[in-house]
Amino acid sequence: LANAFARLNDADGGSSMLLKLLANFTGDNLFNHDNDPYTSVFQMDGNMGASAAVTEMLLQSHERYVIDLLPALPTNWPEGTVKGLRARGGVEGPSRW
């Protein structure tokens, strides 16, 4: 759901979903699991989805020649730094806000 909130530019909704993922479905080793970190199977889709949601919150470039910088920046991320984000065409995204 964090990805959907990010795509809809609902920053705090996306942040809330990421926090729920971390609190309820992430083990001490930062692997995502389905419910119980000690008996359940590692869930790769949780890890990949979380990183995709963060990327979507910081940079969107779905339309040709349109780049949206920090489209869903949560209020609890007032400043930050990121490296390596690229928009369509290889354009580098924001590095500090």
Coordinates of all heavy atoms in Angstrom, one line a residue:
L1 N 0.8 -1.2 0.0 CA 0.0 0.0 0.0 C 0.8 1.3 0.0 O 0.4 2.3 -0.5 CB -0.9 0.0 1.2 CG -2.1 -0.9 1.1 CD1 -2.9 -0.9 2.4 CD2 -3.0 -0.6 0.0
A2 N 2.0 1.2 0.5 CA 2.9 2.4 0.5 C 3.1 2.9 -0.9 O 3.2 4.1 -1.1 CB 4.2 2.1 1.2
N3 N 3.3 2.0 -1.8 CA 3.5 2.4 -3.2 C 2.3 3.1 -3.8 O 2.4 4.1 -4.5 CB 3.8 1.2 -4.1 CG 5.2 0.6 -3.8 OD1 6.1 1.3 -3.5 ND2 5.2 -0.7 -3.7
A4 N 1.1 2.6 -3.5 CA -0.1 3.3 -3.9 C -0.3 4.7 -3.4 O -0.6 5.6 -4.1 CB -1.3 2.4 -3.6
F5 N 0.0 4.8 -2.1 CA -0.1 6.1 -1.5 C 0.9 7.1 -2.1 O 0.7 8.2 -2.4 CB 0.2 6.1 0.0 CG -1.0 5.6 0.8 CD1 -1.0 4.4 1.5 CD2 -2.1 6.4 1.0 CE1 -2.1 4.0 2.2 CE2 -3.3 6.0 1.7 CZ -3.3 4.8 2.3
A6 N 2.2 6.6 -2.4 CA 3.2 7.4 -3.0 C 2.8 7.8 -4.4 O 2.9 9.0 -4.7 CB 4.5 6.6 -3.0
R7 N 2.2 6.9 -5.2 CA 1.8 7.3 -6.5 C 0.7 8.3 -6.5 O 0.6 9.2 -7.4 CB 1.3 6.0 -7.2 CG 0.9 6.2 -8.7 CD 2.0 6.6 -9.6 NE 3.0 5.6 -9.8 CZ 3.1 4.7 -10.7 NH1 2.2 4.7 -11.6 NH2 4.1 3.9 -10.8
L8 N -0.1 8.3 -5.4 CA -1.2 9.3 -5.3 C -0.8 10.5 -4.6 O -1.6 11.4 -4.3 CB -2.4 8.6 -4.5 CG -3.1 7.5 -5.2 CD1 -4.0 6.8 -4.3 CD2 -3.8 7.9 -6.5
N9 N 0.5 10.7 -4.4 CA 1.1 11.8 -3.7 C 0.6 12.0 -2.3 O 0.5 13.1 -1.8 CB 0.9 13.1 -4.5 CG 1.7 13.0 -5.8 OD1 2.6 12.3 -6.0 ND2 1.3 13.9 -6.8
D10 N 0.2 10.9 -1.6 CA -0.2 11.0 -0.2 C 1.0 10.6 0.6 O 1.2 9.4 1.0 CB -1.4 10.0 0.0 CG -1.9 10.0 1.4 OD1 -1.2 10.6 2.3 OD2 -3.0 9.5 1.6
A11 N 1.8 11.6 0.9 CA 3.1 11.4 1.6 C 2.9 10.7 3.0 O 3.6 9.7 3.3 CB 3.8 12.7 1.8
D12 N 2.0 11.2 3.8 CA 1.9 10.7 5.1 C 1.2 9.3 5.1 O 1.6 8.5 6.0 CB 1.2 11.7 6.0 CG 2.0 12.9 6.3 OD1 3.3 12.8 6.4 OD2 1.4 14.0 6.3
G13 N 0.4 9.0 4.2 CA -0.2 7.7 4.0 C 0.9 6.7 3.7 O 1.0 5.6 4.2
G14 N 1.8 7.0 2.8 CA 2.9 6.2 2.4 C 3.8 5.9 3.5 O 4.3 4.8 3.8
S15 N 4.2 7.0 4.3 CA 5.0 6.9 5.4 C 4.4 6.0 6.5 O 5.1 5.1 7.1 CB 5.3 8.3 6.0 OG 6.1 8.2 7.2
S16 N 3.1 6.1 6.7 CA 2.4 5.3 7.7 C 2.5 3.8 7.3 O 2.8 3.0 8.2 CB 1.0 5.7 7.8 OG 0.3 4.9 8.6
M17 N 2.3 3.5 6.0 CA 2.4 2.1 5.6 C 3.8 1.5 5.7 O 4.0 0.4 6.1 CB 1.9 2.0 4.2 CG 0.5 2.2 4.0 SD -0.6 1.0 4.8 CE -1.3 2.0 6.1
L18 N 4.8 2.4 5.4 CA 6.2 1.9 5.6 C 6.5 1.6 7.1 O 7.2 0.6 7.4 CB 7.2 3.0 5.0 CG 7.3 3.0 3.5 CD1 8.2 4.2 3.1 CD2 7.9 1.7 3.0
L19 N 6.1 2.5 7.9 CA 6.3 2.3 9.4 C 5.6 1.0 9.9 O 6.1 0.3 10.7 CB 5.8 3.5 10.2 CG 6.7 4.7 10.0 CD1 6.0 5.9 10.7 CD2 8.1 4.5 10.5
K20 N 4.4 0.7 9.4 CA 3.7 -0.5 9.7 C 4.4 -1.7 9.2 O 4.5 -2.7 9.9 CB 2.3 -0.5 9.2 CG 1.3 0.4 9.9 CD -0.1 0.4 9.4 CE -0.9 1.4 10.2 NZ -2.3 1.5 9.7
L21 N 5.0 -1.6 8.0 CA 5.8 -2.7 7.5 C 7.0 -3.0 8.4 O 7.3 -4.1 8.7 CB 6.2 -2.4 6.1 CG 7.1 -3.5 5.4 CD1 6.4 -4.7 5.1 CD2 7.7 -2.9 4.1
L22 N 7.7 -1.9 8.8 CA 8.9 -2.1 9.6 C 8.5 -2.6 11.0 O 9.2 -3.5 11.5 CB 9.6 -0.8 9.7 CG 10.3 -0.3 8.5 CD1 10.8 1.1 8.6 CD2 11.5 -1.2 8.1
A23 N 7.4 -2.1 11.6 CA 7.1 -2.5 12.9 C 6.5 -3.9 13.0 O 6.8 -4.7 14.0 CB 6.0 -1.6 13.5
N24 N 5.8 -4.4 12.0 CA 5.0 -5.6 12.1 C 5.6 -6.8 11.2 O 5.2 -7.9 11.5 CB 3.6 -5.4 11.7 CG 2.9 -4.4 12.7 OD1 3.1 -4.5 13.9 ND2 2.2 -3.5 12.1
F25 N 6.3 -6.5 10.2 CA 6.7 -7.5 9.3 C 8.2 -7.5 8.9 O 8.6 -8.0 7.9 CB 5.9 -7.4 8.0 CG 4.4 -7.5 8.2 CD1 3.6 -6.4 8.3 CD2 3.8 -8.8 8.5 CE1 2.2 -6.5 8.5 CE2 2.5 -8.9 8.7 CZ 1.7 -7.8 8.8
T26 N 9.0 -6.9 9.7 CA 10.5 -6.8 9.5 C 11.2 -7.3 10.7 O 11.0 -6.9 11.8 CB 10.9 -5.4 9.2 OG1 10.1 -4.9 8.1 CG2 12.3 -5.3 8.8
G27 N 12.1 -8.3 10.4 CA 12.9 -8.9 11.5 C 14.1 -8.0 11.9 O 14.4 -7.0 11.3
D28 N 14.8 -8.5 12.9 CA 16.0 -7.7 13.4 C 17.1 -7.6 12.3 O 17.9 -6.7 12.3 CB 16.6 -8.4 14.6 CG 15.7 -8.3 15.8 OD1 14.8 -7.4 15.8 OD2 15.8 -9.2 16.7
N29 N 17.1 -8.6 11.3 CA 18.0 -8.6 10.2 C 17.5 -7.8 9.0 O 18.2 -7.8 8.0 CB 18.3 -10.0 9.8 CG 17.1 -10.7 9.3 OD1 16.0 -10.2 9.3 ND2 17.3 -12.0 9.0
L30 N 16.4 -7.1 9.2 CA 15.8 -6.2 8.2 C 15.2 -7.0 7.0 O 14.8 -6.5 6.0 CB 16.7 -5.2 7.6 CG 17.1 -4.1 8.7 CD1 18.1 -3.1 8.0 CD2 15.9 -3.5 9.3
F31 N 15.0 -8.4 7.2 CA 14.3 -9.2 6.2 C 12.8 -9.1 6.5 O 12.4 -9.1 7.7 CB 14.7 -10.6 6.3 CG 16.1 -10.9 5.7 CD1 16.6 -12.2 5.7 CD2 16.8 -10.0 5.0 CE1 17.8 -12.5 5.2 CE2 18.1 -10.3 4.4 CZ 18.6 -11.6 4.5
N32 N 12.0 -9.0 5.5 CA 10.6 -9.0 5.7 C 10.0 -10.4 5.8 O 10.6 -11.3 5.2 CB 9.9 -8.3 4.5 CG 10.1 -6.8 4.6 OD1 10.7 -6.2 3.7 ND2 9.6 -6.1 5.6
H33 N 9.0 -10.6 6.6 CA 8.4 -11.9 6.8 C 6.9 -11.8 6.8 O 6.4 -10.6 6.8 CB 8.9 -12.5 8.2 CG 8.7 -11.5 9.3 ND1 7.5 -11.3 9.9 CD2 9.6 -10.7 9.9 CE1 7.7 -10.4 10.9 NE2 8.9 -10.0 10.9
D34 N 6.2 -12.9 6.7 CA 4.8 -12.8 6.6 C 4.1 -12.5 7.9 O 3.1 -11.8 8.0 CB 4.2 -14.0 6.0 CG 4.5 -15.3 6.7 OD1 5.2 -15.2 7.7 OD2 4.1 -16.3 6.1
N35 N 4.5 -13.0 9.1 CA 3.9 -12.7 10.3 C 4.8 -12.9 11.5 O 5.0 -12.0 12.3 CB 2.6 -13.5 10.5 CG 1.7 -13.0 11.6 OD1 1.9 -11.9 12.1 ND2 0.8 -13.8 12.0
D36 N 5.4 -14.1 11.6 CA 6.3 -14.4 12.7 C 7.7 -14.5 12.3 O 8.1 -15.3 11.5 CB 5.9 -15.7 13.4 CG 6.7 -16.1 14.6 OD1 7.7 -15.4 14.9 OD2 6.4 -17.1 15.2
P37 N 8.6 -13.6 12.7 CA 10.0 -13.5 12.2 C 10.8 -14.8 12.6 O 11.8 -15.0 11.9 CB 10.6 -12.3 12.9 CG 9.8 -12.1 14.1 CD 8.4 -12.6 13.8
Y38 N 10.3 -15.6 13.5 CA 11.1 -16.8 13.9 C 10.7 -18.1 13.2 O 11.4 -19.0 13.1 CB 11.0 -16.9 15.4 CG 11.5 -15.7 16.1 CD1 10.6 -14.8 16.7 CD2 12.9 -15.4 16.1 CE1 11.1 -13.6 17.3 CE2 13.3 -14.2 16.7 CZ 12.4 -13.3 17.3 OH 12.9 -12.2 17.8
T39 N 9.5 -18.1 12.7 CA 9.0 -19.3 12.0 C 8.5 -19.2 10.6 O 8.3 -20.1 9.9 CB 7.8 -19.9 12.8 OG1 6.7 -19.0 12.8 CG2 8.2 -20.2 14.3
S40 N 8.4 -17.9 10.1 CA 7.9 -17.7 8.8 C 9.0 -17.6 7.8 O 10.2 -17.4 8.1 CB 7.0 -16.5 8.7 OG 7.7 -15.4 9.1
V41 N 8.7 -17.6 6.5 CA 9.6 -17.5 5.4 C 9.9 -16.1 5.1 O 9.0 -15.2 5.1 CB 9.0 -18.3 4.2 CG1 9.9 -18.2 3.0 CG2 8.7 -19.7 4.6
F42 N 11.1 -15.8 4.7 CA 11.6 -14.5 4.2 C 10.7 -14.1 3.0 O 10.5 -14.9 2.1 CB 13.1 -14.6 3.8 CG 13.6 -13.5 3.0 CD1 13.5 -12.2 3.5 CD2 14.1 -13.7 1.7 CE1 14.0 -11.1 2.7 CE2 14.5 -12.6 1.0 CZ 14.5 -11.4 1.5
Q43 N 10.2 -12.9 2.9 CA 9.4 -12.4 1.9 C 10.1 -11.3 1.1 O 10.2 -10.2 1.5 CB 8.1 -11.8 2.4 CG 7.3 -12.8 3.2 CD 6.6 -13.9 2.3 OE1 6.1 -13.5 1.3 NE2 6.7 -15.1 2.7
M44 N 10.7 -11.7 0.0 CA 11.4 -10.7 -0.8 C 10.6 -9.6 -1.3 O 11.0 -8.4 -1.4 CB 12.1 -11.4 -2.1 CG 12.8 -10.5 -3.0 SD 14.1 -9.6 -2.2 CE 15.5 -10.6 -2.5
D45 N 9.3 -9.8 -1.6 CA 8.4 -8.8 -2.1 C 8.3 -7.6 -1.1 O 8.1 -6.5 -1.5 CB 7.1 -9.3 -2.6 CG 6.3 -10.1 -1.5 OD1 7.0 -10.5 -0.5 OD2 5.1 -10.2 -1.6
G46 N 8.4 -7.9 0.2 CA 8.3 -6.8 1.2 C 9.5 -5.9 1.1 O 9.4 -4.7 1.1
N47 N 10.7 -6.5 0.9 CA 11.9 -5.7 0.8 C 11.9 -4.9 -0.4 O 12.3 -3.7 -0.4 CB 13.1 -6.6 0.9 CG 13.4 -7.1 2.3 OD1 12.8 -8.0 2.8 ND2 14.3 -6.4 3.0
M48 N 11.6 -5.5 -1.5 CA 11.6 -4.8 -2.8 C 10.5 -3.8 -2.9 O 10.7 -2.7 -3.4 CB 11.4 -5.8 -4.0 CG 12.5 -6.9 -4.0 SD 14.1 -6.3 -4.3 CE 14.1 -6.2 -6.1
G49 N 9.3 -4.1 -2.3 CA 8.2 -3.1 -2.3 C 8.5 -1.9 -1.5 O 8.2 -0.8 -1.9
A50 N 9.2 -2.1 -0.4 CA 9.5 -1.0 0.5 C 10.5 0.0 -0.2 O 10.3 1.2 -0.1 CB 10.1 -1.5 1.8
S51 N 11.5 -0.6 -0.8 CA 12.5 0.3 -1.5 C 11.9 1.0 -2.7 O 12.2 2.2 -2.9 CB 13.8 -0.5 -1.9 OG 13.4 -1.5 -2.8
A52 N 11.0 0.3 -3.3 CA 10.3 0.9 -4.5 C 9.4 2.1 -4.0 O 9.2 3.1 -4.6 CB 9.4 -0.1 -5.2
A53 N 8.7 1.9 -2.8 CA 7.9 2.9 -2.2 C 8.7 4.2 -1.9 O 8.2 5.3 -2.2 CB 7.1 2.4 -1.0
V54 N 9.8 4.0 -1.3 CA 10.7 5.1 -0.9 C 11.1 5.9 -2.2 O 11.0 7.1 -2.2 CB 11.9 4.7 -0.1 CG1 12.9 5.8 0.1 CG2 11.4 4.2 1.3
T55 N 11.5 5.1 -3.2 CA 11.9 5.8 -4.5 C 10.7 6.5 -5.1 O 10.9 7.7 -5.5 CB 12.3 4.7 -5.5 OG1 13.5 4.0 -4.9 CG2 12.7 5.3 -6.8
E56 N 9.5 6.0 -5.0 CA 8.3 6.6 -5.6 C 8.0 7.9 -4.8 O 7.4 8.8 -5.4 CB 7.2 5.6 -5.6 CG 6.0 6.1 -6.3 CD 6.0 5.8 -7.8 OE1 7.0 5.2 -8.3 OE2 5.1 6.3 -8.5
M57 N 8.3 7.9 -3.5 CA 8.0 9.0 -2.7 C 8.9 10.2 -3.0 O 8.6 11.4 -2.8 CB 8.0 8.7 -1.2 CG 6.9 7.7 -0.8 SD 7.2 7.0 0.8 CE 6.4 8.2 1.8
L58 N 10.1 9.9 -3.5 CA 11.1 10.9 -3.7 C 11.3 11.4 -5.2 O 11.7 12.5 -5.4 CB 12.5 10.4 -3.3 CG 12.6 10.0 -1.8 CD1 14.0 9.5 -1.5 CD2 12.3 11.2 -0.9
L59 N 10.9 10.5 -6.1 CA 11.0 10.8 -7.5 C 10.0 10.1 -8.4 O 9.9 8.9 -8.2 CB 12.5 10.5 -8.0 CG 12.8 10.7 -9.4 CD1 12.8 12.2 -9.8 CD2 14.1 10.1 -9.8
Q60 N 9.3 10.8 -9.2 CA 8.4 10.1 -10.1 C 8.7 10.7 -11.5 O 8.8 11.9 -11.7 CB 6.9 10.3 -9.7 CG 6.6 9.7 -8.4 CD 5.1 9.9 -8.1 OE1 4.3 10.3 -8.9 NE2 4.8 9.6 -6.8
S61 N 8.7 9.7 -12.5 CA 8.9 10.2 -13.9 C 8.2 9.2 -14.8 O 8.8 8.5 -15.6 CB 10.4 10.3 -14.3 OG 11.0 9.0 -14.2
H62 N 6.8 9.2 -14.7 CA 6.1 8.2 -15.5 C 5.7 8.7 -16.9 O 5.5 7.9 -17.8 CB 4.8 7.8 -14.7 CG 5.1 7.4 -13.3 ND1 5.8 6.2 -13.1 CD2 4.9 7.9 -12.1 CE1 6.0 6.0 -11.8 NE2 5.5 7.1 -11.1
E63 N 5.6 10.0 -17.0 CA 5.3 10.6 -18.3 C 6.6 11.0 -19.0 O 7.5 11.5 -18.3 CB 4.3 11.8 -18.1 CG 3.0 11.4 -17.6 CD 2.1 12.6 -17.4 OE1 2.2 13.5 -18.3 OE2 1.4 12.7 -16.4
R64 N 6.6 11.0 -20.3 CA 7.8 11.4 -21.0 C 8.1 12.9 -20.8 O 7.1 13.7 -20.9 CB 7.6 11.1 -22.5 CG 8.8 11.3 -23.3 CD 8.6 10.8 -24.7 NE 9.8 10.9 -25.4 CZ 10.0 10.4 -26.6 NH1 9.0 9.8 -27.2 NH2 11.2 10.5 -27.2
Y65 N 9.3 13.2 -20.5 CA 9.7 14.6 -20.2 C 9.1 15.3 -19.0 O 9.2 16.5 -18.9 CB 9.5 15.5 -21.5 CG 10.1 14.9 -22.7 CD1 9.3 14.6 -23.8 CD2 11.5 14.7 -22.8 CE1 9.8 14.0 -25.0 CE2 12.0 14.2 -24.0 CZ 11.2 13.8 -25.1 OH 11.7 13.3 -26.2
V66 N 8.5 14.5 -18.1 CA 7.9 15.1 -16.9 C 8.6 14.4 -15.7 O 8.5 13.2 -15.6 CB 6.4 14.9 -16.8 CG1 5.9 15.4 -15.5 CG2 5.7 15.6 -18.0
I67 N 9.3 15.2 -14.9 CA 9.9 14.7 -13.7 C 9.3 15.4 -12.5 O 9.3 16.6 -12.4 CB 11.4 14.9 -13.7 CG1 12.0 14.2 -14.9 CG2 12.1 14.4 -12.4 CD1 13.5 14.5 -15.1
D68 N 8.8 14.6 -11.5 CA 8.3 15.2 -10.3 C 9.2 14.9 -9.2 O 9.4 13.7 -8.7 CB 6.9 14.5 -10.1 CG 6.0 15.3 -9.1 OD1 6.5 16.3 -8.6 OD2 4.9 14.8 -8.8
L69 N 9.8 15.9 -8.6 CA 10.8 15.8 -7.5 C 10.1 15.9 -6.2 O 9.3 16.8 -6.0 CB 11.9 16.9 -7.6 CG 12.7 16.9 -8.9 CD1 13.6 18.1 -8.9 CD2 13.4 15.6 -9.1
L70 N 10.4 15.0 -5.3 CA 9.8 14.9 -4.0 C 8.3 15.0 -4.0 O 7.7 15.8 -3.2 CB 10.4 16.0 -3.1 CG 12.0 16.0 -3.0 CD1 12.4 17.2 -2.2 CD2 12.5 14.7 -2.4
P71 N 7.6 14.2 -4.8 CA 6.2 14.3 -4.9 C 5.4 13.9 -3.7 O 4.2 14.3 -3.5 CB 5.8 13.4 -6.1 CG 6.9 12.3 -6.0 CD 8.1 13.1 -5.6
A72 N 6.0 13.0 -2.9 CA 5.2 12.5 -1.7 C 6.2 12.5 -0.5 O 6.3 11.5 0.1 CB 4.7 11.1 -2.0
L73 N 6.8 13.6 -0.2 CA 7.7 13.7 0.9 C 6.9 13.8 2.2 O 6.2 14.8 2.4 CB 8.6 14.9 0.7 CG 9.7 15.1 1.7 CD1 10.8 14.0 1.5 CD2 10.4 16.4 1.6
P74 N 7.1 12.8 3.1 CA 6.3 12.9 4.3 C 6.8 14.0 5.3 O 8.0 14.4 5.2 CB 6.7 11.5 5.0 CG 7.2 10.7 3.9 CD 7.8 11.6 2.9
T75 N 5.9 14.5 6.1 CA 6.3 15.5 7.1 C 7.3 15.0 8.1 O 8.1 15.9 8.6 CB 5.1 16.0 7.8 OG1 4.4 14.9 8.5 CG2 4.1 16.7 6.9
N76 N 7.4 13.7 8.3 CA 8.4 13.2 9.2 C 9.8 13.0 8.6 O 10.7 12.4 9.2 CB 8.0 12.0 10.0 CG 7.6 10.8 9.1 OD1 7.5 11.0 7.8 ND2 7.4 9.7 9.6
W77 N 10.0 13.4 7.3 CA 11.3 13.4 6.6 C 11.6 14.9 6.2 O 11.7 15.2 5.1 CB 11.2 12.6 5.4 CG 10.9 11.1 5.5 CD1 10.7 10.4 6.6 CD2 10.8 10.2 4.4 NE1 10.4 9.1 6.3 CE2 10.4 9.0 5.0 CE3 10.9 10.3 3.1 CZ2 10.2 7.8 4.2 CZ3 10.7 9.2 2.3 CH2 10.4 7.9 2.9
P78 N 11.8 15.8 7.2 CA 11.9 17.2 6.8 C 13.2 17.5 6.1 O 13.3 18.5 5.3 CB 11.9 17.9 8.2 CG 12.4 16.9 9.2 CD 11.8 15.6 8.6
E79 N 14.2 16.6 6.2 CA 15.4 16.8 5.5 C 16.0 15.4 5.2 O 15.7 14.5 6.0 CB 16.4 17.7 6.2 CG 16.8 17.3 7.6 CD 17.7 18.3 8.3 OE1 17.3 19.4 8.4 OE2 18.8 17.9 8.7
G80 N 16.9 15.3 4.2 CA 17.5 14.0 3.9 C 18.4 14.1 2.7 O 18.5 15.1 2.1
T81 N 19.0 13.0 2.5 CA 20.0 12.8 1.4 C 19.8 11.5 0.8 O 19.5 10.5 1.5 CB 21.4 12.9 1.9 OG1 21.6 14.2 2.6 CG2 22.4 12.8 0.8
V82 N 19.8 11.4 -0.5 CA 19.7 10.1 -1.3 C 20.7 10.2 -2.4 O 21.0 11.2 -3.0 CB 18.3 9.9 -1.7 CG1 17.8 10.9 -2.7 CG2 18.1 8.5 -2.2
K83 N 21.2 9.0 -2.8 CA 22.1 8.9 -4.0 C 21.6 7.9 -4.9 O 21.1 6.9 -4.5 CB 23.5 8.6 -3.5 CG 24.2 9.6 -2.7 CD 25.6 9.2 -2.3 CE 26.2 10.3 -1.5 NZ 27.6 10.0 -1.1
G84 N 21.8 8.1 -6.2 CA 21.6 7.1 -7.2 C 20.2 7.1 -7.8 O 19.9 6.2 -8.6
L85 N 19.3 8.0 -7.4 CA 17.9 8.0 -8.1 C 18.0 8.5 -9.5 O 18.6 9.5 -9.7 CB 16.9 8.8 -7.3 CG 16.5 8.3 -5.9 CD1 15.4 9.2 -5.3 CD2 16.0 6.9 -6.0
R86 N 17.4 7.8 -10.4 CA 17.4 8.3 -11.8 C 16.0 8.3 -12.4 O 15.2 7.3 -12.2 CB 18.3 7.3 -12.7 CG 19.7 7.3 -12.2 CD 20.6 7.7 -13.2 NE 22.0 7.6 -12.7 CZ 22.8 8.6 -12.8 NH1 22.4 9.8 -13.3 NH2 24.0 8.5 -12.3
A87 N 15.7 9.3 -13.1 CA 14.4 9.4 -13.8 C 14.5 8.9 -15.2 O 15.6 8.5 -15.6 CB 14.0 10.9 -13.8
R88 N 13.4 8.8 -15.9 CA 13.5 8.4 -17.3 C 14.5 9.2 -18.1 O 14.7 10.4 -17.8 CB 12.1 8.5 -17.9 CG 11.1 7.6 -17.4 CD 9.8 7.7 -18.1 NE 8.8 6.9 -17.5 CZ 8.5 5.6 -17.8 NH1 9.2 5.0 -18.7 NH2 7.6 5.0 -17.1
G89 N 15.2 8.5 -18.9 CA 16.2 9.2 -19.7 C 17.6 9.3 -19.0 O 18.5 9.9 -19.5
G90 N 17.7 8.7 -17.8 CA 18.9 8.7 -17.0 C 19.2 10.0 -16.3 O 20.3 10.2 -15.7
V91 N 18.2 10.9 -16.2 CA 18.4 12.1 -15.4 C 18.4 11.8 -13.9 O 17.6 11.1 -13.4 CB 17.2 13.1 -15.7 CG1 17.3 14.3 -14.9 CG2 17.1 13.4 -17.2
E92 N 19.5 12.4 -13.3 CA 19.7 12.1 -11.9 C 18.7 12.9 -11.0 O 18.5 14.1 -11.3 CB 21.1 12.4 -11.4 CG 21.4 11.9 -10.0 CD 22.8 11.9 -9.7 OE1 23.7 12.2 -10.6 OE2 23.2 11.8 -8.5
G93 N 18.1 12.2 -10.0 CA 17.1 12.9 -9.2 C 17.7 13.7 -8.1 O 18.9 13.9 -8.1
P94 N 16.9 14.1 -7.1 CA 17.4 15.0 -6.0 C 18.4 14.3 -5.2 O 18.3 13.0 -5.0 CB 16.1 15.4 -5.3 CG 15.2 14.2 -5.5 CD 15.5 13.8 -6.9
S95 N 19.3 15.0 -4.6 CA 20.3 14.4 -3.7 C 20.1 14.9 -2.3 O 20.5 14.2 -1.3 CB 21.7 14.6 -4.2 OG 22.0 16.0 -4.3
R96 N 19.6 16.1 -2.1 CA 19.4 16.6 -0.7 C 18.2 17.5 -0.7 O 18.0 18.3 -1.7 CB 20.7 17.4 -0.4 CG 20.6 18.0 1.0 CD 21.9 18.6 1.5 NE 22.7 17.5 1.8 CZ 24.0 17.5 2.1 NH1 24.6 18.7 2.1 NH2 24.7 16.5 2.5
W97 N 17.5 17.4 0.4 CA 16.3 18.4 0.5 C 16.3 18.8 2.0 O 16.9 18.4 2.8 CB 15.0 17.7 0.1 CG 14.6 16.5 1.0 CD1 13.9 16.6 2.1 CD2 15.0 15.1 0.8 NE1 13.7 15.3 2.7 CE2 14.5 14.4 1.9 CE3 15.8 14.5 -0.1 CZ2 14.6 13.0 2.0 CZ3 16.0 13.1 0.1 CH2 15.4 12.4 1.1

